[in-house]
Amino acid sequence: MKNDELLALGVQKGQQADLIQLVERHYGAVKGYLYRITGGNLMLCEDMAQETFLRMLRSIQTYQYPRPFKPWLYAIATNLVRSEYVRAENKQTIGLDEEDWSALHDRSATLEDNLITSSDTQEAVRHLNNLPQPQREVLILRYFEGLSLLEIAEALHIPEGTVKSRLSLALKRLRESMKEHR
């Protein structure tokens, strides 16, 4: 079985089977990421997921083998979300509702130091929605999408140190916010 990077190289060479395999491999995860970032807007996330893969195909020649493919793909999705909200002039924080958080919590790793336990889920949702979008992006990519710090840095086009600081600040704010309301 080919890895993502070899499949992307195949797509660059016009191999349709490699494109199909990449889409099948990543469509669900990208759609899930977009669903969380858009606050559970199913129609918007479906449109954006399709647009992400169209943009991936249009720009596949800019992919540089053997660069990791997954962060490159998530960069496309993240930039699409950002441009959508800038275009719509919607500067509000987009949040997850409690049902979305519960579903995601069931299939994801817990946050550092067991920050969120099953009994804290509803409360955590309210507090996570108050984080600025850049901090929420880092949290979602790290704890729900399983990207490494380096992969997040590549996906968001920011230094790895910025990823660490956003993640640290987001976790600190989440802890403080939850403590204040207890």
Side-chain angles (χ1 to χ4, degrees), residues 11-25:
V11 174
Q12 286 179 333
K13 296 176 183 176
Q15 308 238 346
Q16 186 175 5
D18 289 347
L19 173 63
I20 291 169
Q21 202 169 0
L22 271 177
V23 172
E24 287 175 349
R25 213 177 262 183

Side-chain angles (χ1 to χ4, degrees), residues 31-81:
K31 184 178 166 186
Y33 169 67
L34 292 167
Y35 182 78
R36 289 185 288 282
I37 289 293
T38 61
N41 186 330
L42 186 58
M43 290 180 65
L44 181 60
C45 83
E46 287 175 350
D47 289 345
M48 288 182 154
Q50 290 175 13
E51 183 64 26
T52 296
F53 284 94
L54 286 173
R55 288 184 183 192
M56 178 212 61
L57 185 57
R58 285 186 205 124
S59 62
I60 194 68
Q61 294 306 323
T62 66
Y63 169 75
Q64 299 170 344
Y65 180 83
R67 180 181 175 195
F69 175 78
K70 191 174 179 179
W72 184 79
L73 180 63
Y74 277 89
I76 293 170
T78 300
N79 290 334
L80 180 63
V81 169

